[in-house]
Amino acid sequence: MDRPRNWLGARTAIILPVLVAVLSFVTGVVNISAVSISGPLGDLIPRSIQRTAGFTGALTGFTLLVSAIGLRRRLRIAWYATIVLLPVAAVQGLVQNSEVPLPLIGPVPSSAVSIPLVVLSLLSLPAMLLNRRRFDRPVDLSTAQLAAGAALIGSLMYGTAGSYALRDEFTNLSTATDAFYYTLVTASTVGYGDVTPQSQKAKLFGMSVVVLGTASFAIALGSLLGPAIEKRLSEALGNMTDAQLDLLENHVLVLGHGDLTEPIIEELTGAIDFVVITPDTETATRLQQQDIAVLTADPSDEEPMQRAGIEDAAAVVAATNDDAQDALAILTAQTLNPEVNIVAGATDRENIEKLRRAGADTVISPAVLGGHLIVQSALGRKGMENIADHLLDVNDEDDAEL
């Protein structure tokens, strides 16, 4: 049976802003060297604002890209930021419909990127609004990340306020913008040398900005690299990252792993997205090496099921060699999502009814089914092998018909 495709799902709501971010960045870069700005709003908006829009287009694109990263983590603040930035990108696209000088060619209209930017920005808004409930996670910053942010902001404020107060003792420093510029290039160890201290007091202050600023930038860099290192460790241990899990919808959860699970995984591969939850680290690593989504955790616990997106799952499969463990996993899954379709594989015949009572919608016993086919064939009943072949080839026949 074909599964309807959700063209306006969470993935679309993430992909579209990424495309808008790329177009906004390209449009901004193209219009930096604009000869004249003559878009639909060219006669209504002052030239200074038009120039500012052209200059900040790349910045809008970069900010949208950061927001898209937050959307992958289902952050509500990223949703709000994207909703604000998409109209901004559209307006900038209108304003930035300019002429760009190209070598040997002359002025060329930049509408080739600005018009698609406007259209794609407007098309992205409905997708974002329709998926509002999917982006419901609050920002969960660790202590290290909070400390990094506070240290970075504090050092920049200290350097800006101090250098502005001592502006008479610096060369080429007279405004608050100059003070912030000096602090930023000093703390980041760029140091262009165009703003320099002239007195002992100013030199001591500059040294303090170097020490505090460099330390704050190092802490901030560490807080950014930490999640990347965590991702590598998770992949090495056979775990999906939260960003990968957040993109799953209409998928299948395979609870546990056993001999019966292997053919199930083979059938699911290529047919639908699925996640395997198993407590065995070696099995998880092996599956990860086969590009199979896997979580190393107890398949009967609520937390891994919630991480694997059971609320958005199309089905749950529990078919290991331990019927008792499967029953517990089914009970947990049915509690978390009463509407999900749960299919169980029973190892022992007497456990079929128990698995149904645990919450399974369908219970299949491969041993009972196989035994029935073997006995009927042994008693001379014809067609049993054809029935088995039909069960194995039914998917291939359906694909051939399509």
Side-chain angles (χ1 to χ4, degrees):
M1 183 175 64
D2 292 334
R3 183 169 53 95
R5 190 178 184 89
N6 187 4
W7 293 103
L8 291 178
R11 292 190 180 186
T12 303
I14 297 173
I15 293 173
L16 287 178
V18 171
L19 296 177
V20 173
V22 174
L23 283 176
S24 180
F25 183 83
V26 172
T27 305
V29 172
V30 167
N31 282 277
I32 288 177
S33 57
V35 174
S36 63
I37 299 180
S38 56
L41 303 179
D43 297 333
L44 303 177
I45 300 177
R47 181 58 61 88
S48 59
I49 297 180
Q50 293 178 353
R51 293 295 184 186
T52 302
F55 180 78
T56 59
L59 181 60
T60 302
F62 179 78
T63 309
L64 258 175
L65 191 60
V66 174
S67 297
I69 296 174
L71 291 177
R72 289 196 61 186
R73 301 182 61 185
R74 303 290 174 91
L75 297 179
R76 174 51 59 90
I77 189 173
W79 184 87
Y80 282 118
T82 305
I83 288 295
V84 173
L85 289 171
L86 286 175
V88 172
V91 172
Q92 287 179 331
L94 289 174
V95 175
Q96 295 178 97
N97 190 12
S98 60
E99 292 183 345
V100 181
L102 293 180
L104 304 179
I105 298 178
V108 176
S110 65
S111 57
V113 287
S114 60
I115 293 179
L117 171 62
V118 175
V119 174
L120 198 57
S121 299
L122 297 178
L123 290 177
S124 300
L125 282 173
M128 293 298 301
L129 294 173
L130 289 174
N131 290 275
R132 180 179 183 276
R133 295 183 178 180
R134 303 297 301 275
F135 305 100
D136 56 356
R137 292 185 177 178
V139 178
D140 186 16
L141 298 177
S142 65
T143 304
Q145 290 171 328
L146 290 173
L152 184 59
I153 294 174
S155 63
L156 291 177
M157 291 178 61
Y158 164 75
T160 302
S163 57
Y164 183 73
L166 298 173
R167 59 187 179 277
D168 294 334
E169 302 181 38
F170 283 85
T171 59
N172 301 323
L173 196 158
S174 57
T175 66
T177 303
D178 294 336
F180 180 75
Y181 166 79
Y182 166 76
T183 303
L184 190 61
V185 298
T186 302
S188 60
T189 68
V190 175
Y192 291 119
D194 51 342
V195 180
T196 56
Q198 297 298 308
S199 66
Q200 294 296 323
K201 182 189 295 184
K203 290 180 181 179
L204 290 173
F205 173 77
M207 289 163 47
S208 69
V209 172
V210 171
V211 174
L212 295 177
T214 303
S216 64
F217 268 92
I219 294 174
L221 184 61
S223 66
L224 293 175
L225 291 179
I229 296 174
E230 181 182 357
K231 175 183 177 181
R232 293 298 182 183
L233 291 175
S234 296
E235 292 177 349
L237 296 174
N239 274 326
M240 295 182 68
T241 62
D242 288 335
Q244 293 171 319
L245 292 170
D246 288 340
L247 293 178
L248 292 173
E249 55 185 351
N250 295 325
H251 56 292
V252 175
L253 264 65
V254 180
L255 305 180
H257 188 276
D259 294 336
L260 183 58
T261 316
E262 287 293 339
I264 293 174
I265 292 176
E266 292 179 3
E267 291 291 326
L268 290 174
T269 301
I272 190 174
D273 292 335
F274 66 96
V275 181
V276 179
I277 302 177
T278 174
D280 190 343
T281 304
E282 294 183 0
T283 299
T285 303
R286 177 172 57 83
L287 293 175
Q288 182 74 24
Q289 292 172 349
Q290 299 173 10
D291 294 328
I292 294 174
V294 61
L295 276 179
T296 307
D298 188 340
S300 62
D301 286 347
E302 293 185 0
E303 191 270 339
M305 289 192 196
Q306 291 172 337
R307 285 190 63 201
I310 190 172
E311 297 86 356
D312 301 318
V316 172
V317 176
T320 65
N321 301 328
D322 190 342
D323 289 341
Q325 181 68 24
D326 289 345
L328 185 57
I330 291 170
L331 183 61
T332 305
Q334 206 276 336
T335 302
L336 293 176
N337 187 356
E339 303 298 325
V340 71
N341 181 32
I342 301 177
V343 181
T347 303
D348 298 325
R349 183 173 185 176
E350 59 270 17
N351 292 330
I352 294 179
E353 190 59 33
K354 295 178 182 178
L355 292 172
R356 285 199 180 97
R357 288 198 298 268
D361 299 294
T362 304
V363 181
I364 299 174
S365 176
V368 173
L369 182 60
H372 176 75
L373 293 175
I374 292 173
V375 170
Q376 293 298 317
S377 180
L379 293 178
R381 185 81 177 270
K382 296 182 179 180
M384 292 299 103
E385 187 174 358
N386 292 334
I387 293 176
D389 291 339
H390 176 72
L391 292 174
L392 293 174
D393 298 337
V394 64
N395 289 335
D396 295 335
E397 293 175 1
D398 291 341
D399 293 340
E401 292 177 0
L402 294 175

